[in-house]
Amino acid sequence: MLASGGGSNLQVLLDHFSGAGAHAGRIVWVGSDKATAGALVRAANAGVPHAVVADPRDGDALVATLHAAGANMLVLAGYLKLIPEAVVQAFHGRMVNIHPALLPAFGGAGMYGQRIHAAVLEHGATVTGVTVHFVDAHYDRGPIIAQWPVPVLPGDTPASLGARVLRTEHALFPLCVEAVASGAVVLGDDGKVHGHVDIPVRPTAAEWRFGLVPDTAGGASAFASEWARLFPR
Ligand code: GRF
């Protein structure tokens, strides 16, 4: 995994892959371009090998580090540097990123952190969300694996909206990473995503915006607490 910031998404993945039940992978290495990144502290606390990436533009060095660590998948969680071409090629179809908006809106170079949520509010959007996607050589442009909507509520600030989006990131990201790690979701030779992430509830119900009522009968009750976490009142 690569992360530049606090690493809360890293933490949910550390928790997920070390948690109960069978998992399709484990986190073998964490890197950051920032020596002070909280993500490195979280990796250290979890006993996961970690390092500062000396030169984020040196793709060959990063590929060598990842291979030496035994990584066959690369997860970006708040990593702010552009991924070098050598890494994009080496991890084609095996690299995913999470973005705190519904791509292709509110993405691209310079769109990170609170800027994204400020832009959503500035535009008067009533819906934002989370996108998990495969990574290509451009910021925020790779094929989409899964998305989840998050309502913009009256009185929201970039901080309050960002916090709501982040809670949803934490619910969605482990599902997506597990799906790619297990092969349930693959990037095909046609450049399209095949398979699907098994998201507990569908966002198509009229109630999704404010309500907590799932639109699926079967299995939905098992995810009642998750639903409440996704859409806190
Ligand atoms: C998240 O909002 C993620 O979507 C974005 O950067 C933020 C990282 O937060 N790419 P954290 O470091 O995981 O807490």
Side-chain angles (χ1 to χ4, degrees):
M1 290 193 59
L2 286 170
S4 299
S8 69
N9 279 291
L10 166 67
Q11 189 66 55
V12 294
L13 292 179
L14 286 168
D15 294 346
H16 173 82
F17 285 104
S18 64
H23 297 293
R26 65 195 169 88
I27 298 171
V28 295
W29 183 82
V30 174
S32 180
D33 56 308
K34 292 205 178 96
T36 55
L40 293 177
V41 176
R42 293 180 191 270
N45 289 342
V48 172
H50 54 281
V52 177
V53 179
D55 180 359
R57 292 163 304 178
D58 187 344
D60 292 337
L62 188 51
V63 169
T65 299
L66 290 165
H67 284 160
N72 57 13
M73 183 174 167
L74 180 55
V75 177
L76 311 181
Y79 186 66
L80 297 178
K81 300 289 184 187
L82 191 65
I83 299 298
E85 183 62 30
V87 181
V88 172
Q89 283 178 13
F91 286 84
H92 178 76
R94 305 291 298 167
M95 178 165 29
V96 301
N97 179 49
I98 187 162
H99 185 78
L102 294 177
L103 293 174
F106 303 112
M111 272 295 195
Y112 59 88
Q114 299 275 303
R115 290 185 192 192
I116 298 167
H117 309 300
V120 167
L121 293 172
E122 179 75 16
H123 280 263
T126 58
V127 179
T128 182
V130 177
T131 302
V132 180
H133 62 97
F134 284 110
V135 177
D136 64 16
H138 305 276
Y139 278 113
D140 301 330
R141 280 243 315 253
I144 291 169
I145 296 168
Q147 293 184 303
W148 196 263
V150 173
V152 179
L153 299 180
D156 261 338
T157 62
S160 68
L161 181 56
R164 189 176 311 119
V165 170
L166 190 63
R167 286 195 293 275
T168 303
E169 293 183 50
H170 295 166
L172 189 64
F173 208 20
L175 301 175
C176 294
V177 176
E178 182 80 43
V180 175
S182 72
V185 165
V186 297
L187 180 60
D189 293 338
D190 58 0
K192 304 241 184 304
V193 175
H194 297 270
H196 76 284
V197 180
D198 193 14
I199 297 175
V201 289
R202 285 188 287 138
T204 50
E207 297 88 345
W208 75 264
R209 191 168 186 279
F210 299 111
L212 303 176
V213 183
D215 68 339
T216 53
S221 59
F223 298 99
S225 61
E226 196 71 353
W227 183 256
R229 197 153 71 90
L230 284 166
F231 297 112
R233 287 183 185 274

